[in-house]
Amino acid sequence: MSRPIPLRSFASSSIIAAGYDSERRVLRLQYSGGGTYDYYLVPADVFQRFLDAPSKGQFVNWDIKPYYPYIRLS
């Protein structure tokens, strides 16, 4: 069972919400097309770069998906 991670909403065409658990280094993303994913072993600085990125979807595709294991929650 996944642990609750507070999410914040974004005005993004691909990602509607994201949250980060710094203790477990888990990034949780909710995609606009449906689906919620947890990405594991994501360092805090990568989450901060995600927050600062002008394109959230591009950042995820180039800097998160290729490097961090993930599972689909829903």
Side-chain angles (χ1 to χ4, degrees):
M1 178 127 193
S2 64
R3 182 165 124 185
I5 297 176
L7 300 178
R8 62 176 79 175
S9 299
F10 292 102
S12 167
S13 60
S14 59
I15 297 167
I16 58 172
Y20 184 68
D21 181 330
S22 60
E23 184 179 309
R24 296 184 305 142
R25 297 191 316 161
V26 174
L27 170 64
R28 182 164 293 161
L29 298 177
Q30 286 183 338
Y31 289 91
S32 60
T36 300
Y37 290 79
D38 276 358
Y39 295 83
Y40 296 98
L41 306 174
V42 178
D45 68 303
V46 173
F47 178 59
Q48 186 59 54
R49 288 176 36 228
F50 164 79
L51 294 176
D52 296 339
S55 171
K56 306 292 187 241
Q58 182 178 19
F59 186 86
V60 169
N61 286 333
W62 291 2
D63 295 283
I64 294 177
K65 284 183 181 180
Y67 303 106
Y68 302 102
Y70 61 90
I71 61 165
R72 183 176 179 145
L73 301 176
S74 64

